Amino acid sequence: MVEEGLTLEYTPTWVVASVCTVIVAISLVAERLLHYTGKYLKKKNQKPLFQALQKIKEELMLLGFISLLLAVFQSRIEKLCISENLAKEWLPCKLKDASSASTTTHFQTLFTSFIPGRLLAEATTTSTDYCAEMGGKVPVLSPTALHHLHIFIFVLAVVHVTFCALTILFGGVKIRLWKHWEDSISKKENDPEEVLKTNFTQVQDHDFIRNRFLGIGKDSALSGWVHSFFKQFYGSVTKTDYLTMRLGFIMTHCRGNPQFNFHKYMIRTLEADFRKVVGISWYLWLFVVIFLVLNVSGRHAYFWISFIPFILLLAVGTKLEHVIIQLAHEVAEKHVAIAGDLVVQPSDNHFWFHRPRIVLLLIHFILFQNSFELAFFFWIWVQYGFDSCMMGEIGYIIPRLVIGAFIQFVCSYSTLPLYVIVTQMGSSYKKAIFEEHIQEGLVGWVRKAKKNKGLRKASNGSTTTTTTTTPGSTTHASSQMNPKETTPVAIQMSEASAMEEGNAGEIAAATLNDGHS
């Protein structure tokens, strides 16, 4: 048996106390930083960003749980043995390269120097001896490999959260540049002369139609897709695009409020979507497992995998631009001249499978996959060195880095702003259309209505209650409802929330509450 080092029984107490103090201090500083960040966001009424921070805490808790599992079950994992022939299959590096592993030891000290005593017992050879006694077998995972896997999972999560935050930050900056367009239209609507002026719009002469309408027929359909592909790289959203889609949204969803602040609504939806994008869902972890399996020597799997988010990003950007073209075609094919401003008709039919939410799922996958690519590159570089066989040839490394930087830039500069405004052209709106305090009040109203309905059913025994008003006449209780007591906005709020979550039952319940208010 090889000596594994001194236990706590023979370790100076001041050393144990010092290490514990440092670890606890760092943990408390991180916890307090997250806590005060949350308090600041709540103070500024940034509930979506606060929920995103809670999502980050959940990811950190998951990482802590993974770390705990690796530490607790380390000894059992080491004693899982497989045949030597099986261990030589599907290797990231050829066996002849294994001898060069010792030359990269100096890179590993960068991680281990900051994590004293946390190497998951790298120096022990107990697992190798144990499996050798089982008939020439080898451990399924060595302590060193287990430790490196532990570090990679941590690096992946940190890089993903960081890159998502940067994407939302830079995308938000681009969206905030549109604010002066919102201010200009607000000034125009507050001008009495402009309000009273009646104008007729020649559809073909409108800037939105001239820039987006490409004719009728198969040739125009093909040129429309080609135009959409290149349009995402320059001037993806112009002022006429913004003003036209803004007016289409207002006339469809809030006709009674022509001065609705569409820009502020988009900012709220972006903040709400950030909470969904920043997390790592179970299916994303499944992709990580698949990608790790495909990392076999000679196949350059990560080079080819890097094209997946690249192609998806181009497809999403092209589709979003094409939705704007479809909006222009609908108006141009039906009208020659219209009274007032040009109005487009939002519809889910313009999106894949009639679901605008699919675009957000694809952006989530694109950001995660790109984070995985870059995290894997930097992890190998620091852990094993740039000349490691896992890094691959230079001809495959440079394109991967260029693709990763391209995805990060285009997603922040073009795709994310496009997503925020174009997905508002669906048939329904998001609950962010209401201010936070209004959302809470309306949700409370709906819950109270449901509770009162349940109490009435319990007291009346689910039978129709009749009330005598005058001799010889009766009136059903349900007919005594004052129409003014119904709040359509609250019903729409409940329906919008239900649509966003995909819960059709909630929509039905909200509608039912309208009839029993």
Side-chain angles (χ1 to χ4, degrees):
M1 178 74 67
V2 179
E3 183 180 0
E4 299 182 8
L6 297 177
T7 64
L8 287 177
E9 296 173 308
Y10 302 101
T11 303
T13 55
W14 66 270
V15 173
V16 177
S18 299
V19 172
C20 288
T21 300
V22 172
I23 293 175
V24 172
I26 294 175
S27 301
L28 288 177
V29 168
E31 190 276 333
R32 287 290 91 187
L33 179 63
L34 293 174
H35 174 73
Y36 286 115
T37 303
K39 289 184 65 177
Y40 174 80
L41 294 176
K42 293 181 71 175
K43 182 179 179 181
K44 296 295 183 179
N45 294 323
Q46 298 290 335
K47 186 175 180 180
L49 294 181
F50 175 75
Q51 292 175 341
L53 181 65
Q54 297 299 110
K55 193 70 176 180
I56 294 175
K57 288 183 179 180
E58 293 177 9
E59 299 299 332
L60 293 176
M61 184 181 70
L62 178 61
L63 288 174
F65 188 69
I66 292 174
S67 176
L68 179 63
L69 289 178
L70 289 173
V72 171
F73 294 102
Q74 175 193 345
S75 59
R76 296 190 178 186
I77 295 175
E78 293 174 8
K79 293 182 179 180
L80 295 176
C81 304
I82 58 175
S83 65
E84 189 172 354
N85 292 332
L86 186 60
K88 294 179 181 179
E89 300 291 335
W90 291 64
L91 294 176
C93 294
K94 297 179 180 179
L95 288 176
K96 65 179 181 180
D97 298 329
S99 60
S100 62
S102 60
T103 61
T104 61
T105 305
H106 61 286
F107 287 98
Q108 301 175 11
T109 58
L110 181 62
F111 281 129
T112 58
S113 59
F114 293 104
I115 316 176
R118 191 69 186 89
L119 197 53
L120 296 177
E122 276 189 316
T124 180
T125 59
T126 305
S127 58
T128 304
D129 296 339
Y130 174 82
C131 290
E133 295 174 358
M134 299 292 292
K137 295 185 177 182
V138 294
V140 66
L141 199 64
S142 69
T144 303
L146 189 63
H147 175 67
H148 292 171
L149 179 61
H150 186 187
I151 294 175
F152 170 68
I153 293 175
F154 174 77
V155 171
L156 173 60
V158 171
V159 171
H160 173 65
V161 171
T162 303
F163 277 24
C164 285
L166 290 176
T167 303
I168 298 295
L169 177 64
F170 294 138
V173 171
K174 175 72 179 293
I175 295 173
R176 284 178 172 82
L177 294 177
W178 300 342
K179 188 176 186 300
H180 66 280
W181 295 342
E182 185 74 30
D183 295 338
S184 65
I185 197 65
S186 298
K187 291 179 181 179
K188 181 179 178 181
E189 291 174 347
N190 291 328
D191 188 351
E193 295 182 0
E194 292 290 338
V195 173
L196 297 176
K197 185 185 300 183
T198 302
N199 61 328
F200 289 88
T201 301
Q202 296 293 330
V203 173
Q204 297 295 335
D205 295 335
H206 196 278
D207 290 339
F208 177 72
I209 301 299
R210 286 190 298 175
N211 295 332
R212 296 290 182 173
F213 181 63
L214 303 175
I216 301 174
K218 294 183 179 179
D219 294 338
S220 66
L222 178 61
S223 61
W225 283 104
V226 175
H227 177 77
S228 300
F229 176 80
F230 290 103
K231 183 64 175 175
Q232 63 181 311
F233 302 119
Y234 67 96
S236 56
V237 177
T238 63
K239 182 177 180 179
T240 55
D241 295 337
Y242 178 87
L243 298 180
T244 304
M245 288 188 283
R246 172 190 180 273
L247 183 60
F249 178 88
I250 292 176
M251 297 302 291
T252 301
H253 300 300
C254 43
R255 184 182 294 268
N257 184 16
Q259 295 184 349
F260 175 75
N261 195 321
F262 183 65
H263 182 268
K264 188 177 292 185
Y265 163 67
M266 287 195 304
I267 294 296
R268 289 199 297 267
T269 59
L270 176 65
E271 294 172 349
D273 291 336
F274 176 59
R275 176 176 58 88
K276 302 174 184 178
V277 170
V278 76
I280 304 180
S281 305
W282 64 269
Y283 54 87
L284 296 179
W285 284 111
L286 180 61
F287 281 115
V288 170
V289 175
I290 295 174
F291 296 149
L292 290 176
V293 170
L294 297 177
N295 184 30
V296 181
S297 176
R299 296 185 180 179
H300 307 290
Y302 287 106
F303 171 76
W304 302 111
I305 289 173
S306 64
F307 285 94
I308 296 177
F310 177 73
I311 294 174
L312 286 177
L313 180 70
L314 297 181
V316 169
T318 303
K319 178 59 179 177
L320 292 175
E321 286 286 352
H322 194 257
V323 169
I324 304 179
I325 289 181
Q326 287 177 291
L327 294 172
H329 272 248
E330 281 190 349
V331 177
E333 291 174 358
K334 295 178 181 178
H335 304 282
V336 176
I338 55 177
D341 295 323
L342 187 142
V343 179
V344 295
Q345 182 62 43
S347 174
D348 287 346
N349 296 329
H350 300 313
F351 297 90
W352 284 315
F353 305 105
H354 311 294
R355 296 189 64 185
R357 187 171 177 269
I358 292 179
V359 179
L360 180 62
L361 297 177
L362 291 176
I363 292 178
H364 189 189
F365 177 77
I366 291 169
L367 291 176
F368 176 79
Q369 176 59 23
N370 195 51
S371 301
F372 174 81
E373 281 284 330
L374 297 178
F376 192 79
F377 169 80
F378 288 112
W379 172 71
I380 293 177
W381 188 9
V382 176
Q383 188 70 59
Y384 301 110
F386 192 82
D387 297 329
S388 170
C389 57
M390 291 183 67
M391 184 68 75
E393 301 174 8
I394 191 69
Y396 293 97
I397 297 173
I398 300 302
R400 284 171 57 189
L401 294 178
V402 172
I403 290 175
F406 175 84
I407 291 173
Q408 193 66 31
F409 174 77
V410 173
C411 193
S412 303
Y413 173 77
S414 174
T415 309
L416 186 67
L418 263 176
Y419 158 78
V420 172
I421 187 170
V422 175
T423 52
Q424 311 310 326
M425 296 296 101
S427 301
S428 59
Y429 54 81
K430 300 179 181 179
K431 63 181 180 181
I433 194 173
F434 301 105
E435 297 284 354
E436 187 61 36
H437 65 282
I438 298 178
Q439 291 184 30
E440 295 176 355
L442 294 178
V443 170
W445 183 91
V446 172
R447 289 177 179 173
K448 186 176 180 181
K450 290 181 179 179
K451 183 178 179 181
N452 292 338
K453 173 193 169 187
L455 293 175
R456 284 196 301 270
K457 279 188 176 182
S459 60
N460 297 337
S462 65
T463 58
T464 305
T465 304
T466 58
T467 306
T468 303
T469 54
T470 58
S473 66
T474 61
T475 306
H476 289 285
S478 57
S479 65
Q480 294 179 354
M481 182 185 67
N482 187 348
K484 294 183 179 181
E485 294 177 1
T486 306
T487 310
V489 177
I491 301 303
Q492 294 179 9
M493 170 62 189
S494 180
E495 292 177 357
S497 177
M499 288 179 181
E500 188 176 16
E501 301 298 330
N503 188 349
E506 193 170 327
I507 300 176
T511 307
L512 188 61
N513 289 340
D514 187 19
H516 292 275
S517 299

